[in-house]
Structure formats: structure tokens, C-alpha cells
């Protein structure tokens, strides 16, 4: 029965591959990863800093911004998706944070935060905040102007980065705060062109009498201001996410059904053409041996 068992194993492998492909197609089409929409607020998450000044594997819910007047947490830094804006955030400098910032400014560590690729928040894109300053004996200096730049496609994050701009240098002391402020800019896919979705939104706003000025959705805090930067029109380029999102659930289910029917048909053909004659031949050979 060795020939029959080999054929059975081959058939099981073929059926498993076909069904697995069908399941993958169904998962993609059913929207496993939900895209962000323009104006959705996305939290910039940063690692929790340990007592020795090193980043842990735990993440906060969003970079905490202080109310400098009361020295209490005002809100978590959230960015309006695909909407150019200005941000301002003062980060509390605890003893561990001071050690960490000193290592970052000395080039011995990197401040790597993250944002969720999609709104279901299952995978993340790293966002490195590159500070610029010096380490002094009793304090630090750091540029307060930070540019935040993101690349998106089809409602998903592709990349992000924050970098200091040579503008205003401030002194940062232990138990004080680290001021950061600057623009938040969004670009289409791998280019430095304005995202077509944001371009269309501004055009619609201009047509409705809004004057074409980019607006920022309402948020519980007032840390975001409308950007005066006018985007450039760009042609819509095909993206991989467009192809994935174009697959409808009905098509995926049809693929699963076709795969199943094909697998059954292949099994039937192999059984009657190969397996059955081989089994009958082996049975006849054993019968002759008994005689």
C-alpha cells in the first residue's frame, strides 16, 4: 500500500495549499487591517523609560504633554492623520528621562517612538525623534523646533520621522521639561508630494466656500493650529494597498469555493486514474501470493 499512501499524502498537501490561499484572500478582503481616515487622531507612543535611563519594552498610550503652569499632564500627543498641522508638547524630565535624554544627545541612544500602521493597531511604524543639543555638567541643551514627517498610502502609515531644526536652543534641567514644537507634514507614499486624498479634501473645502484653507478637526485640546502650507497637486499612483482593498469579500469566497471544487476534482481524477488501479494491482498481487 506504499504507492496508495504516497498519493494520499500528495492529495492532502494540494488541498491544504489551495484552502490556505483561499483563507488568506478572505482575510485580506474582509478588512483585517482597517485604514485610518483623514482627521483621525493618532497617538504618538514612546517607550517607558527605566530608572537607569534606558528604554523598556513597554509603551505608553501616547507621549504625555505637560501643562507647564501646573506641571501636570495636560494630554497625550495625538496627530490628525493626513492633516498638516502645528504641534506643541512639553515633556516632563524626570530623573530617568534626564539620563535618557543625555544619552540621546550624546549619540549613545536613540529615541524611537511609534505610530500604529492601521486603526486596528496591530502593527506599528517606528518614529525616531532625532534631538539636537549638548550635554553640560549640570544641564542639557536641546533645539525646541522639531519637524514631524509622515508618509502614508491608502490610509496606512508607511514611514515616519522627527528631527530637530536649528532654531531655538533651550536649557533642559532635571525635573524640568523638554519643550518641543513644530510642523506636522504628510506625504504620499514614497514621495515628498502631498497626499492625493488630502489634496481632494482641500479642493472640496474650497468648493464649499471654505476658501481652500486646510482645517484641523476638533480635538479635546488646543495644541493644533491650521497649517498655512499649500499642498501641490500630484497624480494618483497605483499602490499595493489599493490592489488589496479592491478585492471584495464575494470574490474571496468565490476563490475559496473554486479552490475546494478544484481540489475535489483533482482528488477524483488521481483516485480513479492512479490510486484505484494501484490498489487493485497490489490486491491482485497479494491474492496470487496466497494461492
Amino acid at each position: 500500500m506504499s504507492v496508495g499512501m504516497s498519493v494520499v499524502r500528495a492529495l492532502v498537501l494540494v488541498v491544504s495549499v489551495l484552502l490556505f490561499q483561499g483563507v488568506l484572500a478572505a482575510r485580506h478582503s474582509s478588512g483585517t487591517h482597517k485604514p485610518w481616515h483623514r482627521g483621525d487622531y493618532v497617538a504618538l507612543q514612546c517607550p517607558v523609560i527605566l530608572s537607569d535611563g534606558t528604554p523598556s519594552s513597554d509603551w505608553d498610550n501616547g507621549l504625555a504633554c505637560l501643562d507647564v503652569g501646573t506641571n501636570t499632564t495636560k494630554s497625550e500627543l495625538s496627530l490628525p492623520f493626513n492633516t498638516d498641522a502645528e504641534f506643541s508638547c512639553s515633556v516632563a524630565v524626570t530623573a530617568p528621562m534626564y539620563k535618557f535624554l543625555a544619552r540621546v544627545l550624546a549619540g549613545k541612544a536613540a529615541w524611537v517612538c511609534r505610530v500604529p500602521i492601521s486603526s486596528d493597531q496591530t502593527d506599528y511604524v517606528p518614529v525616531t525623534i532625532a534631538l539636537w543639543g549638548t550635554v553640560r555638567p549640570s544641564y542639557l541643551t536641546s533645539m525646541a523646533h522639531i519637524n514631524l514627517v509622515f508618509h502614508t498610502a491608502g490610509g496606512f502609515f508607511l514611514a515616519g520621522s522627527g528631527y530637530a531644526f536649528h532654531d531655538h536652543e533651550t536649557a533642559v534641567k532635571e525635573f524640568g521639561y523638554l519643550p518641543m514644537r513644530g510642523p506636522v507634514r504628510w506625504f504620499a507614499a514614497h514621495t515628498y508630494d502631498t497626499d492625493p486624498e488630502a489634496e481632494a479634501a482641500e479642493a472640496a473645502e474650497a468648493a464649499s466656500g471654505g476658501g481652500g484653507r486646510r482645517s484641523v478637526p476638533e480635538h479635546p485640546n488646543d495644541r493644533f493650529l491650521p497649517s498655512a502650507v499649500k499642498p501641490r497637486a500630484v497624480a494618483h499612483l497605483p499602490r499595493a494597498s489599493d490592489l488589496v482593498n479592491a478585492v471584495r469579500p464575494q470574490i474571496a469566497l468565490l476563490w475559496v469555493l473554486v479552490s475546494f471544487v478544484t481540489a475535489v476534482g483533482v482528488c477524483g481524477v488521481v483516485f480513479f486514474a492512479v490510486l484505484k488501479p494501484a490498489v487493485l494491482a497490489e490486491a491482485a498481487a497479494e491474492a496470487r501470493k496466497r494461492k
Side-chain angles (χ1 to χ4, degrees), residues 119-198:
S119 62
D120 52 328
Q121 304 190 30
T122 55
D123 297 295
Y124 296 85
V125 168
V127 180
T128 301
I129 301 178
L131 299 179
W132 183 0
T134 58
V135 180
R136 304 295 175 86
S138 59
Y139 67 95
L140 310 173
T141 65
S142 180
M143 298 296 173
H145 187 143
I146 304 291
N147 288 0
L148 292 178
V149 176
F150 297 95
H151 294 260
T152 65
F156 298 95
F157 280 95
L158 297 183
S161 179
Y163 56 91
F165 195 86
H166 193 282
D167 185 357
H168 180 65
E169 190 175 38
T170 60
V172 179
K173 295 184 177 182
E174 189 174 355
F175 304 113
Y177 63 91
L178 172 69
M180 295 191 299
R181 67 176 186 277
V184 183
R185 296 293 178 263
W186 304 81
F187 299 106
H190 60 283
T191 71
Y192 286 99
D193 296 320
T194 304
D195 192 282
E197 296 176 1

Side-chain angles (χ1 to χ4, degrees), residues 11 17 22 30 35 54 60-61 64 98 119 125 142 146 162 168 180 189 193 249 260-263 273-274 280:
L11 291 177
V17 171
S30 60
T54 58
D60 56 27
N61 294 324
Y98 186 86
S119 62
V125 168
S142 180
I146 304 291
H168 180 65
M180 295 191 299
D193 296 320
F260 179 76
V261 173
T262 302
V274 179
L280 293 176

